[in-house]
Amino acid sequence: MVSHMPFFFRRIWLLLRGVSLDRDHPPFDHLRSIEDPEEFVWAILPHAARSFSVSILLLPEEAARVAAVGYLYARMLDTYEDLSPSRPEARLSMAGFADRFATGRPTVAPPAPTAKAPDARDQTHLLLVERCRLVDEVFLDLSPNAQKRVVQLVEEMALAMIDSSHIFEQQGGVMGDQEHVLEYCRGVMGLPALFAMDLLLDAPTGEHASDALEASELIQLANITRDVEKDLQRGVAYHPALKPHLGSGGDGDVAEVVAGARHDLMRLALERVRSFRRLLHAVDLPRLSAARVAAVLMMLFTERHFGNYTVVAQISRPNRSRSATTMMLVSLPAAFSPRWAERMLVRVEEDLLATA
């Protein structure tokens, strides 16, 4: 079985599989049949984490396991927030999910939400919540210090997301204030970013933490711009102009308003492009490091995402491939060449800033 391979070989196999997966058609029957906890974590990660899964796999072995468990727990919190029938139910589930770590062994997770017409991505996330016990088994196999870090991430994320839920409710389903949007990004993505930094650094404080939070805003705003129409359908928006259109799908006359809101959110995101390279500089990586590959890949995925949502993306070099396989190959030299990593990040920065 894959779970019994040495991690080096398992990592290669998972990376090769990860860049060729059809994420629009997850193998639900296979994922439901897996009973080995370690195998389940690595099998569902590329479907639940998508672009993040490759970056996680490139971390050192123990850090990769901790990051995988932390990310999957964070994804479960997101699932309660996104797919619960009401905000009070979502808050109750998120609080219950965090509280279950109060004892030495995590108790049973709150039941998966009952979602209306879930798409393939939603179904993957619901399945993950349903099979949380397998992730718990891998969590219990982590070192006490790693468990403490994961629990802190879950508890802090749950509090931040519950606070954001209250803001949504108070503002009628819209997070119209820019600072509130950024606070939400820091809660959903910034805390995991600091968690990842903590796996690589002893103390991600001061300027390092600030750059990590800015980079997280960039990445989470990419997710928000991707899901504008889907969020509208479930009665959520991150731009005041969208408030009259809550519950719609973003079609017809609403499309122009959606395009304007997406433009504003992208501008806000792209103001934060330089923070990612500063963050990589803050990590004192050895000469040979797969973490640099993970960093370059994350920026390439972010660049590709924004390229999907702007006509100005034509400024990119016309022969540059956007496939996951090609991005992986282009990123690999960063493992042994800090100069290559710097060159790639500068190039992505220039493209994104030109887009902005």
Side-chain angles (χ1 to χ4, degrees), residues 162-211:
I162 289 170
D163 286 344
S164 293
S165 176
H166 283 298
I167 293 173
F168 271 122
E169 198 163 59
Q170 293 163 5
Q171 299 184 0
V174 175
M175 196 168 283
D177 181 88
Q178 179 173 298
E179 186 52 40
H180 282 157
V181 173
L182 294 176
E183 285 179 9
Y184 171 79
C185 293
R186 291 190 286 269
V188 172
M189 190 64 68
L191 291 172
L194 292 176
F195 170 74
M197 285 284 289
D198 194 38
L199 296 175
L200 297 172
L201 293 175
D202 290 333
T205 57
E207 184 179 343
H208 299 167
S210 175
D211 289 334

Side-chain angles (χ1 to χ4, degrees), residues 81-117:
E81 181 198 36
D82 293 344
L83 301 180
S84 293
S86 69
R87 289 191 182 88
E89 289 178 71
R91 291 194 291 268
L92 188 63
S93 294
M94 289 188 288
F97 190 85
D99 290 344
R100 74 194 192 94
F101 291 95
T103 60
R105 185 181 184 91
T107 57
V108 176
T114 303
K116 295 181 180 179

Side-chain angles (χ1 to χ4, degrees), residues 110-132:
T114 303
K116 295 181 180 179
D119 60 21
R121 184 153 52 104
D122 295 335
Q123 291 177 55
T124 302
H125 299 158
L126 291 169
L127 187 151
L128 172 62
V129 175
E130 291 166 3
R131 313 214 71 200
C132 177

Side-chain angles (χ1 to χ4, degrees), residues 7 10 14 17 38-46 57 64 68:
F7 188 77
R10 191 194 325 161
L14 290 168
R17 189 192 64 169
E38 190 90 11
E39 183 178 351
F40 176 75
V41 163
W42 298 118
I44 201 166
L45 185 69
L57 282 167

